[in-house]
Amino acid sequence: MADLTINLAAICTPADYNTRPLDTIYSNFIDALPVVKYCSENNKRLIHFSTCEVYGKTIGSFLPKDHPLRKEPEFYVLKEDDSPCIFGPIVKQRWSYACAKQLIERLIFAEGAENGLEFTIVRPFNWIGPRMDFIPGVDGPSEGVPRVLACFSNNLLRREPLKLVDGGESQRTFVYIKDAIEAVLLMIENPARANGHIFNVGNPNNEVTVRELAQMMMEVYANVSGEPPLDEPMIDVSSNQFYGEGYDDSDKRIPDMTIINRQLGWNPKTPLKDLLETTLTYQHKTYKEAIKRQMSQASASS
């Protein structure tokens, strides 16, 4: 029997938080309970994948937009051992995912404190790269809504305007999947230095608004594909239109990297433009012809 269990199972797409909140809560909390219990009772080490969503909104988001404290890192940089977890109201079901993830983190931490469970909790900050999520109607459901990179990739491949939810003003950081895997391998290989810790795994140098991400992706994809830009490359849609009632969002997600650097010596390497070039080259090569065929078939049958 293995001495290490890595738990990655979860319902974790934004569209599901709103439309399937019960499944989301069960998947991320109830279904994880037997895994934690098994590891605790059988002296198995656990690496549990959580999410940067557990932080919710930043303290700075509650300050007036022109307030000078908004520029102070302590009000928006997210620290594993210090930053509070601030969610929206209960009627905003979008927070069902973050709340369930936070509660299982608290259970794991309590098992460590009371029963000696050896654990490491991973908080991913937007890991992206080739094969990231599904392209609707090609290798996933046509009605599905994937994460932002796959959403924008799907629009680019179909030559559709990129949809910016609520103006695309939310800010995100993105880390290349190869960099993130290096961090996880260090956790696996260095149990004494990883046990008992929660690690942010992200790249604070790759921060952009969602609108800026869309602009970068359009520029990179134009170089990759050789296709001219659309006359109307982006359109604004409301969160209610895109995700349905009950959606809410965090403002900024900038990870503090102090703990993972101190314990494991890890820092991300890949700039955002480089990882977008790699990812969109793969997306174009893998999906463009399949989408052409799908669109041609749909046109012929209409």
Side-chain angles (χ1 to χ4, degrees):
M1 297 177 70
D3 292 323
L4 170 65
T5 298
I6 301 177
N7 183 27
L8 300 101
I11 289 176
C12 55
T13 55
D16 288 321
Y17 311 159
N18 274 17
T19 59
R20 301 169 59 199
L22 284 177
D23 286 341
T24 300
I25 293 167
Y26 271 79
S27 169
N28 289 287
F29 180 68
I30 303 297
D31 292 348
L33 288 175
V35 178
V36 179
K37 184 177 180 182
Y38 168 81
C39 290
S40 183
E41 291 179 349
N42 293 277
N43 297 316
K44 305 297 182 184
R45 182 180 169 218
L46 172 65
I47 296 180
H48 178 80
F49 275 69
S50 185
T51 172
C52 61
E53 295 253 347
V54 298
Y55 291 108
K57 299 173 181 284
T58 67
I59 299 173
S61 70
F62 294 91
L63 297 170
K65 288 191 175 181
D66 58 351
H67 199 290
L69 289 179
R70 271 184 173 260
K71 298 180 181 179
E72 297 296 323
E74 65 185 292
F75 289 92
Y76 61 85
V77 175
L78 303 172
K79 301 179 179 181
E80 299 96 326
D81 294 348
D82 297 319
S83 295
C85 302
I86 306 172
F87 303 149
I90 298 298
V91 295
K92 299 293 186 180
Q93 297 205 94
R94 179 252 193 282
W95 297 108
S96 59
Y97 174 63
C99 192
K101 281 290 195 183
Q102 185 202 131
L103 188 54
I104 198 68
E105 279 197 25
R106 292 188 183 277
L107 182 84
I108 291 167
F109 202 88
E111 283 285 357
E114 292 192 28
N115 297 322
L117 172 66
E118 293 188 357
F119 70 88
T120 303
I121 293 171
V122 185
R123 290 180 180 165
F125 280 71
N126 297 294
W127 298 6
I128 62 175
R131 297 179 293 280
M132 168 64 190
D133 224 335
F134 65 93
I135 299 297
V138 178
D139 58 357
S142 58
E143 71 278 5
V145 180
R147 297 171 187 82
V148 64
L149 182 122
C151 272
F152 287 167
S153 293
N154 185 50
N155 295 144
L156 291 167
L157 289 160
R158 296 175 188 276
R159 293 192 56 76
E160 298 171 347
L162 277 62
K163 295 179 179 179
L164 301 179
V165 175
D166 294 336
E169 296 306 312
S170 294
Q171 293 170 271
R172 296 289 183 268
T173 59
F174 296 90
V175 65
Y176 192 34
I177 186 65
K178 285 188 176 180
D179 292 350
I181 289 171
E182 286 181 5
V184 176
L185 288 174
L186 287 169
M187 296 175 207
I188 294 170
E189 294 165 356
N190 297 276
R193 301 190 67 82
N195 284 343
H197 287 287
I198 302 169
F199 291 126
N200 290 337
V201 181
N203 190 337
N205 298 318
N206 286 347
E207 188 202 15
V208 288
T209 66
V210 173
R211 181 178 288 274
E212 289 168 338
L213 175 70
Q215 185 65 48
M216 288 182 70
M217 288 182 67
M218 287 189 297
E219 292 171 2
V220 171
Y221 189 75
N223 290 333
V224 167
S225 67
E227 297 174 354
L230 297 175
D231 293 335
E232 188 181 21
M234 295 184 285
I235 57 173
D236 290 344
V237 298
S238 72
S239 54
N240 281 356
Q241 287 175 297
F242 197 78
Y243 290 118
E245 292 290 336
Y247 188 77
D248 197 10
D249 205 354
S250 56
D251 52 320
K252 293 167 73 76
R253 291 187 196 153
I254 302 178
D256 180 85
M257 306 304 294
T258 303
I259 295 178
I260 194 167
N261 182 260
R262 181 190 70 217
Q263 293 299 121
L264 301 176
W266 181 81
N267 276 307
K269 305 180 186 71
T270 311
L272 183 56
K273 186 162 186 190
D274 290 352
L275 73 87
L276 288 178
E277 285 179 355
T278 301
T279 301
L280 291 176
T281 298
Y282 173 86
Q283 301 282 55
H284 180 73
K285 181 180 178 181
T286 305
Y287 293 110
K288 186 62 181 180
E289 291 305 315
I291 284 179
K292 275 185 181 178
R293 288 193 298 271
Q294 183 197 57
M295 294 176 70
S296 177
Q297 291 168 359
S299 177
S301 61
S302 63

